[in-house]
Amino acid sequence: MEITLTFEGRIPAQRGDLDVTWTMRRSFSAQLEKVWGKAPFETLKEWEDTAFAAGAPKFTRAVSGQTFVPLYGRDVGVGVDLDITLLTGMPVRKAVISAGDLDNRVKRIIDALRVPNGQGEMSHKLSPGGRYYCLMEDDDAVLSLGARLGPYLGSDDTAVSFAIVRVRPIAMRVTLGNLAMLF
């Protein structure tokens, strides 16, 4: 099943501002929570509800007292093809490519779609025991990637961007448990 996620806000090319990544992560989490437990992801919810009994893969991750629930990844056996369209606010008469480093912005989006790699990627503004839905457990789940850049005409603020992330599942291995997620 194809999923389309969106984000409107700052996506700077420079790394280092953890709050920006967490703003995106919270936005994506709220969108992914809407598909959690519904076809084709009901199998993941059943696995979690049974405490991963009968050999079900334990795909959830605990990082610094927070629970992360990735929908795709190696444990589930399904990777993703990401098609990212990044619309950026641009000053008048400035070339599209000079509006920012596309590679770094795409990497920031991918970072926000995955489970944090540890304490260094955690925000200090989180309440204990939070639950976040992530697209994937790690960026290793990205098996194919396309990106394009265009002008964002929805805001007069040149720092505001609009990202459209189209997600298509790709089999890493096919099982009865993940078969529905592939179509």
Side-chain angles (χ1 to χ4, degrees), residues 59-82:
F59 57 90
T60 60
R61 298 286 181 268
V63 181
S64 298
Q66 307 296 317
T67 300
F68 294 90
V69 183
L71 302 182
Y72 297 108
R74 199 158 307 286
D75 287 341
V76 176
V78 182
V80 294
D81 166 27
L82 298 180

Side-chain angles (χ1 to χ4, degrees), residues 160-183:
V160 174
S161 297
F162 190 82
I164 304 163
V165 181
R166 288 182 184 84
V167 181
R168 291 175 205 85
I170 299 176
M172 296 170 118
R173 70 176 180 283
V174 178
T175 67
L176 286 176
N178 73 11
L179 192 59
M181 294 173 61
L182 298 172
F183 302 102

